[in-house]
Amino acid sequence: LSQNYPNPFNPSTTISYNLSKSGDVRIKIFDVSGKEIEELVNKRLQAGSYKIKFNPTKYTSGIYFYSMIVNGTIVDTKKMMYLK
């Protein structure tokens, strides 16, 4: 899981991630309280490099976290900042 770019961002950002082997992948977005606000990815993927855009126009400015979960295990979590 790579750091989103750009960061801070407005209006959208790109999250890149790599898989060394195929698996069930989920990318989830959380607010600062730890509440899940969105799930960007939820599917089985083959090994490779991937990118996904996050456009949080319906959310307020602030700090958010995103986690990559592969086969039910959290692989990594990163922090990002949205500025309206």
Side-chain angles (χ1 to χ4, degrees):
L1 184 64
S2 300
Q3 185 63 51
N4 64 299
Y5 181 81
N7 189 33
F9 65 95
N10 180 4
S12 67
T13 190
T14 300
I15 297 170
S16 301
Y17 56 100
N18 297 306
L19 291 175
S20 57
K21 57 184 179 179
S22 63
D24 296 318
V25 178
R26 299 173 93 178
I27 305 283
K28 294 184 176 191
I29 309 292
F30 301 90
D31 64 17
V32 289
S33 70
K35 178 184 172 195
E36 181 183 332
I37 60 165
E38 200 162 323
E39 186 170 59
L40 300 179
V41 177
N42 183 0
K43 58 182 154 183
R44 182 153 189 86
L45 296 172
Q46 299 299 315
S49 297
Y50 298 88
K51 290 182 181 182
I52 188 148
K53 284 218 181 257
F54 175 53
N55 190 340
T57 54
K58 61 186 172 187
Y59 303 116
T60 60
S61 293
I63 293 175
Y64 294 88
F65 296 90
Y66 57 102
S67 293
M68 179 175 170
I69 300 121
V70 179
N71 298 325
T73 302
I74 295 175
V75 174
D76 201 1
T77 299
K78 304 272 187 200
K79 179 170 75 170
M80 59 183 163
M81 183 181 291
Y82 174 48
L83 299 175
K84 274 195 173 178

